[in-house]
Amino acid sequence: MTEEGRYTVVASDIAGNELKNSSGKASITFIIDRTAPTITGAENNGYYGKNDKVKITLKDNYSNIKDIKATLKKDGTKVSFASGDTLTENGTYTLTVTDKAGNKKEITFTIDKEDITVNTTQDIDTITSNDVTVTVTFNKPVKITSENANIFTALNANEAGYASEFTVLMTENGTVDFAFIDQANNTGTSSFTVGNIDKTAPTFVKGETTPAGLTNAEEVT
């Protein structure tokens, strides 16, 4: 027998008489179970944010809930857990469940309800005729979601395309507004302003005081 299911075997002799075992029973019942328990409420590699409710429920085809062994770790430390619990604390969780037949399933997921913080710096702070590079740093990996996302260059993005640091090359003065989202779908907005770029050469007109060393020409640029 190889198929999953609950089986009952009845023993009898050639005359049809049921043969009872030492317990006085003429039949035995057994289960073939090759399927791991089902976990609902969280997915493997899932991220859950401020707007998510993480209620974990276990189910198995043949084992009762009380027969499912469940171990939950938060940031590597074992914490108490029972099917139907709602998890609210930030952290990375690993849930391992094993049914009565030894079938096992394990998932890892993250709860992240922390606000996203932003910091910006410029490579040049004084008046300059050069382009200015602005570095935008977040406290955790994000994606830029605003329409101007193409001007942001992600540094060391993860496999999902989220990064904690971006650069923006500013060729002229201006304010950049932008929006972002983290892997747990927490969102935010911010902006920065660059005002120290001056690429216009000075112009001197006849009749005006000229710097030392310049001739009083009609116009000098």
Side-chain angles (χ1 to χ4, degrees):
M1 298 178 182
T2 58
E3 293 186 5
E4 286 190 318
R6 188 184 302 272
Y7 294 84
T8 300
V9 177
V10 178
S12 61
D13 62 17
I14 194 170
N17 300 307
E18 292 185 349
L19 303 178
K20 296 182 180 181
N21 59 19
S22 58
S23 300
K25 296 180 180 180
S27 64
I28 59 171
T29 299
F30 62 93
I31 295 170
I32 296 178
D33 178 8
R34 305 181 189 278
T35 304
T38 300
I39 303 172
T40 58
E43 296 181 357
N44 191 39
N45 297 322
Y47 281 80
Y48 303 93
K50 294 179 180 179
N51 298 322
D52 298 313
K53 181 178 181 181
V54 185
K55 181 179 181 179
I56 308 296
T57 303
L58 308 180
K59 185 179 180 181
D60 190 77
N61 291 337
Y62 299 103
S63 298
N64 295 321
I65 294 297
K66 63 181 180 62
D67 294 324
I68 299 176
K69 181 182 178 181
T71 301
L72 181 67
K73 292 183 178 180
K74 173 179 171 289
D75 298 326
T77 301
K78 185 176 179 180
V79 294
S80 62
F81 171 78
S83 179
D85 282 356
T86 298
L87 308 179
T88 59
E89 294 185 2
N90 289 338
T92 298
Y93 293 82
T94 298
L95 175 61
T96 306
V97 294
T98 308
D99 65 16
K100 201 171 183 179
N103 301 303
K104 183 169 73 173
K105 183 173 185 178
E106 183 175 280
I107 64 171
T108 297
F109 57 94
T110 300
I111 296 177
D112 178 7
K113 301 184 179 184
E114 183 182 10
D115 291 334
I116 306 171
T117 60
V118 190
N119 182 59
T120 59
T121 57
Q122 297 180 196
D123 64 339
I124 304 173
D125 291 320
T126 56
I127 297 296
T128 180
S129 60
N130 298 318
D131 296 337
V132 171
T133 298
V134 177
T135 300
V136 184
T137 306
F138 298 86
N139 61 328
K140 52 183 163 178
V142 302
K143 280 184 178 179
I144 306 299
T145 56
S146 44
E147 292 182 357
N148 58 357
N150 61 307
I151 70 173
F152 288 78
T153 300
L155 305 180
N156 301 315
N158 61 22
E159 292 181 356
Y162 294 81
S164 298
E165 191 173 37
F166 298 78
T167 59
V168 178
L169 182 64
M170 299 291 289
T171 60
E172 60 184 8
N173 293 326
T175 297
V176 175
D177 299 308
F178 57 99
F180 43 85
I181 188 170
D182 68 14
Q183 290 176 274
N185 293 324
N186 302 306
T187 60
T189 59
S190 189
S191 66
F192 63 83
T193 300
V194 170
N196 61 315
I197 299 175
D198 183 1
K199 296 185 177 183
T200 303
T203 299
F204 301 99
V205 180
K206 181 180 179 180
E208 294 182 347
T209 302
T210 59
L214 293 182
T215 60
N216 189 17
E218 289 293 322
E219 182 174 311
V220 180
T221 60

